[in-house]
Amino acid sequence: MFYLALQHDYIPYNVWFYHHFTSIFLLLSCSNSDDDVSSSSTDFNPPAWIQGTWALQDDTSNDAVVFNFTKADFCMTASYAKQCQKELVDQIKKNGGTVKVTETITANTYTAEITYYAGQSVIYSFRKLSSNSIEWTASPGAVFIKQ
């Protein structure tokens, strides 16, 4: 199981994410002219290479983290709780909240930054390792296998 170090406490990342999925993440990244950066109020556009269902490698527990990417959304399931990002963004906007989605797509990376009111943001970033494996960069070493 992977763990996150948060203020010197170590907790399973799936438990942390489930309870804090709207926490602020800070990510510094480099960009070059080959990056495709797009911004939309509600649209997610995961690239074809990441579309499908991805499960955490070697984790057969009932609370395993699973990502599911489609052409216009992506969902994360952890501990039987499923959160689809498009649904979350649409619900915030429906309730009058401010939210912005910025995606960066390259041949080997997919990043979606969701910026909420007051500048808080969540960043999901994935790196393609092969045609059937990706790494969730928020948890280095967290390799997901295409199902």
Side-chain angles (χ1 to χ4, degrees), residues 10-146:
Y10 290 87
I11 59 175
Y13 77 91
N14 58 340
V15 172
W16 173 85
F17 184 83
Y18 175 72
H19 293 289
H20 298 93
F21 70 90
T22 58
S23 296
I24 299 173
F25 290 90
L26 298 176
L27 176 72
L28 300 175
S29 64
C30 297
S31 176
N32 66 39
S33 60
D34 294 335
D35 293 350
D36 178 18
V37 178
S38 63
S39 178
S40 172
S41 61
T42 59
D43 294 331
F44 291 90
N45 302 288
W49 61 262
I50 203 169
Q51 292 175 21
T53 301
W54 301 83
L56 187 59
Q57 178 179 336
D58 300 328
D59 191 346
T60 58
S61 65
N62 291 333
D63 63 348
V65 175
V66 175
F67 286 99
N68 186 311
F69 296 86
T70 64
K71 290 181 181 182
D73 195 6
F74 70 94
C75 304
M76 177 180 177
T77 304
S79 300
Y80 298 109
K82 183 176 182 178
Q83 177 62 63
C84 293
Q85 302 314 305
K86 184 175 181 343
E87 177 184 355
L88 178 64
V89 168
D90 289 348
Q91 186 64 40
I92 291 169
K93 292 197 66 73
K94 179 180 175 184
N95 292 331
T98 301
V99 62
K100 177 183 173 185
V101 176
T102 304
E103 295 179 298
T104 303
I105 300 169
T106 70
N108 294 311
T109 62
Y110 173 65
T111 301
E113 179 176 4
I114 307 165
T115 305
Y116 301 98
Y117 30 79
Q120 297 174 341
S121 65
V122 176
I123 299 173
Y124 294 92
S125 187
F126 302 90
R127 182 171 57 96
K128 180 179 179 180
L129 301 175
S130 70
S131 62
N132 65 352
S133 65
I134 59 173
E135 179 182 32
W136 181 22
T137 62
S139 183
V143 175
F144 288 76
I145 305 301
K146 195 164 196 173

